[in-house]
Amino acid sequence: GAVRVASRARIHELGVTQLNLTYARLENCTKFDGALNVCGWCRILQCDDNIHLGQSWVAQSPRFTAVRLVLRDVADVIVSSAPGELLTYGALIVRNATAALGFSHTLIAGYTNDYIGYLPSAREYDAGGYESFMALWGRSTGEIVRNAMIDLAKLAASSE
């Protein structure tokens, strides 16, 4: 046929959140005006806590999906879901990993199946900014998600 399709899906258990709103993190805080001024809110509220949000606040077991499309033996495409916003560096890691698996094209479908917030790499997390403050599983949020995406891509790559 012209197109072959294979898909894989998996629930990934993340556990309780590790939203690290501490004074130590505020040292790298980006300044914002208005309601998104996370630094200002934390100074007012005296944030110094590793907050654990329950299942009613955020999905702790998001679903990941990978779909492989082989187009007339010309292109081998992987569509990989991310349950939030994967930032640039993390997306490049996924793209490079899927290229190493033999995929000619990688499409990352963000905000799919569930939403668990921003998904920064450790490097992006350390740089600070509002994305890192909304990384609900702390410094390892992006790595956890990227590994789940890459694991499913491996399963999809082995399917015919």
Side-chain angles (χ1 to χ4, degrees), residues 19-98:
L19 187 57
N20 185 11
L21 290 177
T22 64
Y23 288 130
R25 295 263 346 271
L26 291 177
E27 290 178 20
N28 289 331
C29 194
T30 304
K31 306 298 182 245
F32 292 99
D33 291 326
L36 285 178
N37 186 344
V38 175
C39 306
W41 280 107
C42 274
R43 285 186 183 98
I44 291 167
L45 298 173
Q46 299 183 354
C47 297
D48 199 11
D49 198 6
N50 193 1
I51 299 170
H52 304 291
L53 301 174
Q55 183 71 32
S56 61
W57 286 87
V58 64
Q60 294 177 354
S61 304
R63 180 182 176 161
F64 290 80
T65 305
V67 178
R68 179 184 187 187
L69 304 167
V70 179
L71 310 170
R72 292 188 187 259
D73 298 324
V74 173
D76 198 348
V77 179
I78 186 76
V79 180
S80 185
S81 73
E85 186 171 328
L86 195 62
L87 303 185
T88 303
Y89 186 69
L92 290 173
I93 292 171
V94 172
R95 184 191 68 186
N96 292 339
T98 56

